[in-house]
Amino acid sequence: MELTGNLILGNCCPRGGGNGFYADEPSQDCPLAPEFFAADAADVDRACQLAEQAFDAYRALPLSTRADFLTRIGENILALGECLIIRAMQETGLPRGRIEGERARTVGQLAMFAAVVRRGEFLQAIVEEALPERKPLPRPDLRQCHIPLGPVAVFGASNFPLAFSVAGGDSASALAAGCPIVVKAHPSHPGTSELVGRAIQQAAQQLALPEGVFSLLHGGGHEVGEQLVTHPLIQAVGFTGSRAGGLALLALAQRRTVPVPFYAEMSSINPQILLPAALANRSTELATRFVDSLTLGVGQFCTSPGLVLALEGKALTQFCQHLTATLAKAPAATMLSRGIWQAWRDKAAGLAAVDGVSLLAQGQPAQSANQGQASVLYTDGAHFLAEPRLSEEVFGPTSLVVGFDDDAQLQQAIRALEGQLTLTLHVDEADHPLAQTLLPTLERRAGRLLVNGFPTGVDVGYAMVHGGPFPATSDARSTSVGAGAIARFLRPVCYQDFPDALLPAALRQEAAIPVQRY
Ligand code: NAP
């Protein structure tokens, strides 16, 4: 399929009215044809108007049609075949295995949301039948279910060109909820975005869905994102990216005349807490697994382990020695874009220059442009506690090991941590009493707690939480991965004393979906 560089506005694919720009091929450090054209304000408005026009018709469709739409998107993505794989590899520098795995995850995610929609539990239907004889007052007939919020803006993430981009988790969950979407393609993979966008457009046309259920906008600067978030017809936003970008757009969403929910997944360093018995018994194994997790995807995962906390001593020394020997063999690899490479290089250098921080270990040097050479730094508990910069995300293959004097200093550091997507305890049985004392604090700091695992690799399921207190996300009550992500785009409505014929299908007597009765 040939790329056009155009936008997708409902059924049309016009050239954007804004500036032209090119994708880059990070491994070659050169631009990639064709030229893409950013949307202008009129294009953004058109996409939002189309989404609003589609909303009532789309949400009124049978749930089975909505589920079929999600499944069909997955089928159409698979049908793109090699052209999608090759373009995504070129635009991101990610290897074939990773892109193919991500495609499978994307299609699986769409299938999961199709199953969620068919089950109907997400509507959270509740029936409290009237109690006319109740004293002192009769109870009215009260029925509740959830309805979609309206058109949703989705910002594709740079680090998941398929699974968290145009047809990724935010898009799938919003469409499953019954919301039309307007996607802002990430400027570092516009070609991948166009291909996937056309797979969605085609699925909507094959099922004769309302035209504006999906639009795709390109933008090579901040204007398009700003216009989208502030457009009065947009009712919610899903975002994955930097803390600075997320906060700038969150502020815009909150300053609107009618503020809307803004779900940003931004920044997390995913601390690994090595408790004494586990470290003493398994220092070598822990070091190997840590290096594997840190270097996976050149450290460009939101769940990459950016911090290791442990007590000073012989076991930590052994861990560090093995880590150093293992990391020395890790090859450098191409990062997602020149911008991300530069940001990583500058932040890693800034961290290394902090007082009390030393270089512990390094991977193999870069062989070509935009490659990240993995590194691990070391500091002690006192310096860590004194310098908040040491707790900030360095997006890429860099991590920090901190050695503490005693349990009290370790606990102080854990209490001082910012909100995280994940926190991991490495424990053996003798560590359970200390782990028990840490758990209340850990629960307050993260959305997912792991024992003896590494957080890279986020399973897409019903119990998954990929969220957490700020700055991991802008709303700790939500998850952006897994079935629970649909709840971000729904709100409850109560129907009092409605005749059966006027109730939404989910609340009628013959409704086939699960209902809670009180
Ligand atoms: P980003 O710069 O935040 O960009 C994400 C999206 O938001 C892009 O579409 C970008 O498009 C738009 N955007 C950014 N700032 C904006 C603003 N002020 N106003 C309007 N729109 C804005 O993130 P990125 O390009 O993916 O990566 C940059 C850094 O983000 C990385 O180095 C890393 O630190 C972090 N990151 C974190 C995660 C994570 O999961 N925690 C994931 C990816 C990246 P425009 O540039 O066209 O405006």
Side-chain angles (χ1 to χ4, degrees):
M1 191 182 281
E2 205 164 311
L3 291 171
T4 64
N6 290 349
L7 312 177
I8 297 175
L9 298 180
N11 287 334
C12 304
C13 296
R15 171 186 279 208
N19 293 337
F21 69 98
Y22 289 88
D24 282 327
E25 186 167 7
S27 64
Q28 305 299 316
D29 214 16
C30 68
L32 272 173
E35 187 173 15
F36 286 82
F37 293 90
D40 63 11
D43 297 321
V44 176
D45 184 54
R46 177 80 183 132
C48 296
Q49 295 285 354
L50 281 170
E52 171 61 25
Q53 285 161 25
F55 178 45
D56 281 328
Y58 179 59
R59 75 190 179 99
L61 290 169
L63 292 181
S64 57
T65 307
R66 216 188 278 176
D68 289 345
F69 180 36
L70 296 166
T71 314
R72 185 65 68 91
I73 293 170
E75 289 165 1
N76 291 350
I77 289 173
L78 288 175
L80 288 167
E82 271 299 283
C83 76
L84 178 66
I85 301 292
I86 288 169
R87 182 73 192 193
M89 287 166 63
Q90 286 176 323
E91 289 186 332
T92 63
L94 294 170
R96 173 176 285 274
R98 159 71 194 276
I99 295 292
E100 287 178 346
E102 218 185 287
R103 179 180 62 177
R105 177 180 160 159
T106 307
V107 173
Q109 201 161 244
L110 287 158
M112 183 200 68
F113 278 111
V116 166
V117 169
R118 283 184 205 283
R119 287 163 72 117
E121 283 156 1
F122 75 99
L123 294 167
Q124 297 179 55
I126 301 174
V127 172
E128 280 187 296
E129 278 177 24
L131 297 175
E133 311 303 328
R134 191 181 71 172
K135 300 285 183 228
L137 289 172
R139 183 170 85 178
D141 184 282
L142 294 173
R143 289 166 193 245
Q144 186 196 105
C145 73
H146 281 62
I147 67 163
L149 291 179
V152 169
V154 172
F155 285 76
S158 60
N159 59 339
F160 280 95
L162 298 174
F164 255 78
S165 197
V166 179
D170 284 337
S171 297
S173 53
L175 290 173
C179 300
I181 56 171
V182 179
V183 179
K184 154 79 170 62
H186 196 284
S188 68
H189 56 260
T192 307
S193 299
E194 181 184 330
L195 291 171
V196 174
R198 280 160 59 185
I200 302 178
Q201 183 192 47
Q202 193 188 11
Q205 289 169 346
Q206 286 163 334
L207 296 171
L209 299 188
E211 183 186 354
V213 70
F214 169 75
S215 289
L216 177 72
L217 303 172
H218 293 295
H222 294 343
E223 296 82 1
V224 173
E226 290 168 357
Q227 286 160 358
L228 192 53
V229 167
T230 52
H231 196 288
L233 294 176
I234 291 297
Q235 298 302 310
V237 185
F239 170 95
T240 300
S242 67
R243 187 167 176 166
L247 286 180
L249 291 169
L250 171 66
L252 288 179
Q254 289 175 338
R255 278 206 302 273
R256 288 168 43 131
T257 310
V258 180
V260 292
F262 185 90
Y263 297 103
E265 195 241 285
M266 296 173 287
S267 157
S268 180
I269 55 171
N270 309 298
Q272 305 298 300
I273 305 168
L274 314 182
L275 293 192
L279 188 58
N281 295 335
R282 300 185 276 118
S283 63
T284 309
E285 175 218 325
L286 284 170
T288 306
R289 291 175 67 204
F290 165 73
V291 169
D292 288 347
S293 183
L294 172 66
T295 53
L296 193 69
V298 210
Q300 300 165 118
F301 286 116
C302 38
T303 49
S304 192
L307 186 64
V308 179
L309 309 176
L311 296 183
E312 281 285 10
K314 195 169 134 215
L316 182 59
T317 305
Q318 280 170 351
F319 171 85
C320 290
Q321 283 167 348
H322 191 69
L323 186 164
T324 303
T326 309
L327 193 67
K329 294 179 223 145
T334 307
M335 298 188 72
L336 289 163
S337 68
R338 183 148 196 88
I340 284 190
W341 174 79
Q342 279 167 339
W344 160 76
R345 182 200 58 186
D346 295 348
K347 279 202 160 186
L351 202 64
V354 170
D355 187 36
V357 174
S358 57
L359 181 67
L360 175 68
Q362 265 186 314
Q364 290 180 9
Q367 302 293 324
S368 58
N370 304 323
Q371 286 198 337
Q373 178 184 19
S375 62
V376 176
L377 306 166
Y378 181 86
T379 195
D380 61 30
H383 283 93
F384 182 74
L385 285 165
E387 180 48 83
R389 273 184 299 163
L390 296 178
S391 303
E392 286 176 12
E393 183 185 51
V394 179
F395 191 75
T398 291
S399 188
L400 176 70
V401 175
V402 187
F404 293 92
D405 296 341
D406 51 33
D407 286 358
Q409 198 186 38
L410 172 66
Q411 292 188 29
Q412 191 186 348
I414 293 171
R415 281 195 298 275
L417 288 172
E418 290 190 305
Q420 305 291 335
L421 291 170
T422 73
L423 268 162
T424 305
L425 281 176
H426 295 275
V427 296
D428 278 0
E429 205 163 333
D431 296 313
H432 284 192
L434 177 55
Q436 199 65 260
T437 64
L438 297 176
L439 273 172
T441 308
L442 301 187
E443 285 170 344
R444 291 178 59 176
R445 295 288 178 281
R448 179 161 61 113
L449 303 178
L450 294 86
V451 165
N452 294 338
F454 282 86
T456 37
V458 183
D459 204 71
V460 181
Y462 286 78
M464 177 49 68
V465 175
H466 190 67
F470 182 86
T473 71
S474 54
D475 188 338
R477 295 166 297 179
S478 63
T479 175
S480 59
V481 175
I486 195 172
R488 299 173 299 166
F489 304 118
L490 297 165
R491 68 179 177 85
V493 175
C494 175
Y495 301 85
Q496 184 166 333
D497 289 332
F498 262 51
D500 203 58
L502 292 184
L503 280 167
L507 294 174
R508 288 189 198 146
Q509 294 298 352
E510 80 282 6
I513 66 155
V515 172
Q516 287 178 56
R517 293 185 182 275
Y518 294 93

